[in-house]
Amino acid sequence: MHYQSGKDTANVQAAPQKRELYVLSEAFDLAVAKTRINLPDLAAAPASWGFDVHGDYANRREGFHEIGNWTTSFFTGMGVLSYLRTGERNFISDVEALDESYLRKLENHAVETMHDLGFLYTLYSVALFKVTGEARHRESGLRAAEALANRFVPNGEYLRAWGRVNEHDTDYSGLAIIDSLMNLPLLYWASNETGDKCLRDLAIRHTDTTLEYFLRDDDSVYHAFRFDPATGNPLGGDNYCGRDVSSHWARGTAWGMYGFSLGYQHTGDERYLDAANALTAKYVSLLDEEKVPVWDFKLEDHERLIRDSSSSAVAICAIQNMISQGVGTSEFSDCKDQMLEALCSDAYLDRSAQCRGLLKQGQVGAGLGKAMNAYTSWGDYFFMQALASELGLKVDWW
């Protein structure tokens, strides 16, 4: 058994030079303090804890084993990040208290899963295995990768996003979404661990399909794309999270930025890097002086301008990943710094000890073509990961 601590100087890189270090440290320590409260409560009553208008994630009544749960692991990921920062063993213990729930989801609820097995088990099993070296975490991660691979549809070459794999006469048949790029690192990791090249191949095939059909000529992206379930023939773009089918959903773009940069990281395929660069350049060009995007870039002027702090958090991580690979531009780097500065401001960061959440003004779907402001678990996690990377902690589970 071995544990990596945030006190290990091998994990520490050069301190950021463009912002005061204490601002980032203060924000990260705030995240640690809230994680210290949140994790034991979540472990005592496992649930999705996805989002809440007031930041009290425990109000979310969706059970851990329900098919819609894609968010629990954002808290476990924050627990691992907290451990890397502090070296406090209790963070790992609190995360591992959820072992039984994660194993039972694979054993008894495998059919009740979706493409977000990658989010769930990358930020649980893989992160824990990277930090602890415990074989049981490796095993659960490999089993999750196998379940995710079972969602691959050969006719069309994509991962089916939603719906039970044994249900074919639903609206979700033939549906792929941009978010799935972020679930592929689980397949790359499992392929590296086992030598099973088929898992890597599935990840590449899905990425190629996304590259072919999701990117528009103006470098915006569809949220979803639909294929004929029987033949795999492309049927056209679709939408569940943006304003409409022709929209440019801000968080979807951030998923694409990060997902294609990760694809380049794992394969070296220059086409994926080109896509990440194009999406990022478009994203950066559409930001206003606030540096936190509206929830959809194609909103009309008269429509309610809901910001999406969670999109910024993901986009920062995407740019950091590009920079770590020696790619990206100085414009991207400057924008990353500006977005992080904005998220650390009182306008977006909730410093109240009474609130479980970190980032205000995250976007959550409120019906097709609608959005609402809320605290989001994914926004909080990626914000904390962005801070961790800036502070020199090693985040290597993607």
Side-chain angles (χ1 to χ4, degrees):
M1 181 186 305
H2 66 277
Y3 294 97
Q4 298 174 356
S5 165
K7 298 177 182 178
D8 183 351
T9 56
N11 286 340
V12 179
Q13 305 165 357
Q17 299 176 359
K18 294 186 178 180
R19 287 177 304 278
E20 293 293 339
L21 184 61
Y22 76 87
V23 173
L24 303 180
S25 295
E26 179 188 48
F28 194 94
D29 291 343
L30 175 66
V32 170
K34 294 197 177 193
T35 301
R36 187 176 282 116
I37 296 171
N38 287 338
L39 262 183
D41 290 349
L42 177 61
S48 69
W49 277 34
F51 60 88
D52 186 72
V53 171
H54 303 293
D56 187 354
Y57 294 121
N59 285 334
R60 179 75 171 160
R61 299 303 181 186
E62 184 178 60
F64 180 90
H65 295 294
E66 292 185 29
I67 192 171
N69 176 20
W70 66 286
T71 53
T72 301
S73 294
F74 294 122
F75 295 94
T76 67
M78 293 174 77
V80 175
L81 290 172
S82 296
Y83 173 73
L84 292 178
R85 172 72 164 177
T86 67
E88 295 177 22
R89 180 65 178 81
N90 63 287
F91 282 113
I92 298 299
S93 299
D94 288 341
V95 172
E96 290 182 329
L98 288 159
D99 271 358
E100 182 180 348
S101 293
Y102 277 87
L103 287 173
R104 189 153 56 90
K105 190 172 186 68
L106 291 173
E107 292 171 353
N108 302 329
H109 300 269
V111 72
E112 297 178 355
T113 59
M114 54 178 171
H115 71 127
D116 288 315
L117 281 165
F119 273 129
L120 287 171
Y121 287 86
T122 295
L123 290 175
Y124 191 77
S125 301
V126 178
L128 282 173
F129 177 62
K130 292 273 188 177
V131 171
T132 71
E134 291 282 359
R136 72 182 190 277
H137 299 314
R138 178 181 184 273
E139 178 61 25
S140 63
L142 294 178
R143 292 174 65 182
E146 181 181 358
L148 179 59
N150 286 336
R151 298 190 67 82
F152 188 79
V153 182
N155 289 338
E157 301 203 319
Y158 60 92
L159 286 171
R160 177 176 168 176
W162 297 321
R164 294 171 175 82
V165 292
N166 60 355
E167 292 181 351
H168 305 289
D169 297 325
T170 74
D171 185 54
Y172 296 146
S173 296
L175 187 70
I177 63 175
I178 192 70
D179 319 36
S180 290
L181 289 175
M182 291 300 300
N183 291 285
L184 302 181
L186 180 65
L187 299 181
Y188 287 118
W189 169 81
S191 178
N192 290 336
E193 285 292 314
T194 63
D196 184 350
K197 294 181 180 179
C198 290
L199 296 174
R200 174 184 174 86
D201 179 61
L202 294 185
I204 291 172
R205 290 160 69 186
H206 177 87
T207 307
D208 286 347
T209 297
T210 306
L211 186 64
E212 181 174 3
Y213 294 111
F214 279 72
L215 276 62
R216 304 189 185 101
D217 290 340
D218 65 353
D219 295 326
S220 64
V221 296
Y222 289 110
H223 167 243
F225 201 92
R226 193 170 291 281
F227 301 86
D228 186 301
T231 67
N233 292 333
L235 299 179
D238 210 329
N239 168 64
Y240 287 81
C241 291
R243 178 179 175 270
D244 55 40
V245 174
S246 65
S247 72
H248 188 183
W249 181 43
R251 178 152 50 93
T253 299
W255 292 141
M257 291 160 55
Y258 201 178
F260 279 118
S261 74
L262 287 167
Y264 173 69
Q265 172 186 313
H266 287 288
T267 69
D269 192 323
E270 295 283 345
R271 297 175 304 147
Y272 303 160
L273 175 59
D274 290 344
N277 272 318
L279 295 183
T280 304
K282 183 75 170 183
Y283 187 99
V284 169
S285 74
L286 292 172
L287 296 177
D288 58 21
E289 65 279 357
E290 188 79 7
K291 297 304 176 185
V292 173
V294 295
W295 71 278
D296 193 300
F297 289 120
K298 291 189 177 180
L299 293 176
E300 300 292 339
D301 290 340
H302 67 278
E303 294 177 294
R304 186 180 177 190
L305 297 181
I306 296 175
R307 300 280 172 175
D308 187 5
S309 59
S310 72
S311 174
S312 287
V314 177
I316 291 166
C317 292
I319 294 173
Q320 287 173 330
N321 190 57
M322 297 171 72
I323 292 171
S324 73
Q325 297 177 74
V327 297
T329 67
S330 59
E331 182 184 14
F332 294 174
S333 181
D334 290 344
C335 185
K336 178 259 297 180
D337 293 342
Q338 292 165 355
M339 287 192 289
L340 192 51
E341 181 179 3
L343 294 186
C344 287
S345 72
D346 290 340
Y348 291 97
L349 183 58
D350 193 323
R351 292 178 166 83
S352 170
Q354 285 69 50
C355 180
R356 292 187 186 271
L358 280 171
L359 288 184
K360 298 175 278 188
Q361 299 195 57
Q363 178 267 338
V364 177
L368 194 60
K370 300 178 182 178
M372 66 178 180
N373 282 320
Y375 297 75
T376 69
S377 57
W378 53 91
D380 287 359
Y381 168 77
F382 283 105
F383 175 59
M384 192 176 186
Q385 179 183 305
L387 292 169
S389 295
E390 293 292 309
L391 294 170
L393 298 182
K394 185 179 180 182
V395 179
D396 62 353
W397 37 81
W398 296 106

